[in-house]
Amino acid sequence: QKEVEQDPGPLSVPEGAIVSLNCTYSNSAFQYFMWYRQYSRKGPELLMYTYSSGNKEDGRFTAQVDKSSKYISLFIRDSQPSDSATYLCAMRRGSRLTFGEGTQLTVNP
Amino acid sequence: EPEVTQTPSHQVTQMGQEVILRCVPISNHLYFYWYRQILGQKVEFLVSFYNNEISEKSEIFDDQFSVERPDGSNFTLKIRSTKLEDSAMYFCASRRTGGREQFFGPGTRLTVL
């Protein structure tokens, strides 16, 4: 079983839609949970960071962690064409980050 | 805004050759990392480095790989004898003491022919 699983998509939505991105994980040792955004041929850029179960909001983005189910989500409200990118979930154990496969999102005008 | 920089942006080499990928972390950061991303695959951790020592490495980081901080600003990844399967994007990242975020550079695309 993979440590982190993420549906790679691709996901295509109209502008203004609510987007839901999800990851599951198997290793209970993961302490911190992150969402990164990666544009084509660029490095990952941190969007959201959380370490406890529950919701964390930042503008149009909400990160949700459910440690009992080993499940994390990222919601994007009022999606914009500029949100088109690959979204990577990542989990930290010790000094290393373990990434999901990434979900490719396209927001159509 | 300070950022991690990497050179070169693209490196082409022949199988069996040595390559050195260079990174300049953010100036007040003390924790450094290398990750790689093979085309179409996930980003994978290679190594973390702190206080001039490797603090953690993955199973990918075998004897062909080494890291060094040759001076106060650079952080390098050396691959001694490149293989075709080393072709990937290599990302450097850095983190400040007490910080949560690893800041990633733009990557070096390594192509091994």
Side-chain angles (χ1 to χ4, degrees):
Chain A
Q1 184 182 9
K2 291 181 185 177
E3 278 194 298
V4 179
E5 297 209 45
Q6 181 177 7
D7 185 344
L11 187 60
S12 181
V13 301
E15 184 174 353
I18 297 174
V19 176
S20 171
L21 305 167
N22 310 294
C23 286
T24 58
Y25 63 96
S26 59
N27 192 336
S28 301
F30 288 129
Q31 302 163 299
Y32 304 97
F33 306 90
M34 285 141 276
W35 286 94
Y36 280 82
R37 179 174 60 196
Q38 186 178 26
Y39 293 110
S40 182
R41 302 200 185 281
K42 302 284 187 187
E45 169 196 1
L46 183 68
L47 280 177
M48 300 286 287
Y49 185 107
T50 186
Y51 57 87
S52 58
S53 285
N55 292 353
K56 181 178 180 180
E57 217 173 288
D58 184 2
R60 295 184 295 110
F61 299 90
T62 300
Q64 191 174 77
V65 174
D66 182 345
K67 288 189 175 181
S68 61
S69 302
K70 297 191 177 66
Y71 188 88
I72 70 170
S73 300
L74 177 71
F75 298 96
I76 308 174
R77 287 184 300 282
D78 187 25
S79 55
Q80 303 294 309
S82 58
D83 294 328
S84 299
T86 297
Y87 290 79
L88 312 171
C89 64
M91 309 190 185
R92 186 178 143 201
R93 173 172 50 95
S95 57
R96 72 170 70 187
L97 296 180
T98 301
F99 285 85
E101 291 88 347
T103 299
Q104 188 181 339
L105 171 68
T106 302
V107 181
N108 301 299
Chain B
E1 186 175 321
E3 56 185 21
V4 176
T5 59
Q6 292 185 242
T7 54
S9 57
H10 189 193
Q11 173 92 47
V12 181
T13 190
Q14 295 290 325
M15 191 169 57
Q17 295 297 303
E18 174 184 287
V19 293
I20 297 176
L21 309 183
R22 291 183 166 79
C23 168
V24 178
I26 295 173
S27 64
N28 63 341
H29 288 192
L30 298 179
Y31 294 82
F32 312 119
Y33 310 85
W34 283 102
Y35 291 82
R36 79 170 186 192
Q37 186 175 29
I38 295 170
L39 186 64
Q41 298 187 24
K42 61 172 69 178
V43 177
E44 299 174 290
F45 170 80
L46 292 178
V47 66
S48 59
F49 189 87
Y50 170 72
N51 198 25
N52 280 322
E53 287 184 348
I54 290 174
S55 44
E56 192 173 351
K57 61 182 181 179
S58 73
E59 52 282 353
I60 302 167
F61 194 88
D62 61 22
D63 292 343
Q64 293 296 315
F65 292 89
S66 62
V67 288
E68 192 180 25
R69 186 150 164 84
D71 53 44
S73 58
N74 290 282
F75 180 52
T76 62
L77 174 70
K78 182 194 289 187
I79 309 175
R80 260 180 272 285
S81 177
T82 50
K83 307 183 188 74
L84 294 176
E85 55 265 35
D86 293 327
S87 295
M89 281 289 282
Y90 287 81
F91 294 107
C92 173
S94 69
R95 179 175 67 88
R96 64 174 175 81
T97 304
R100 297 172 177 174
E101 180 176 358
Q102 293 182 21
F103 290 83
F104 283 77
T108 292
R109 179 149 47 116
L110 176 65
T111 302
V112 182
L113 303 176

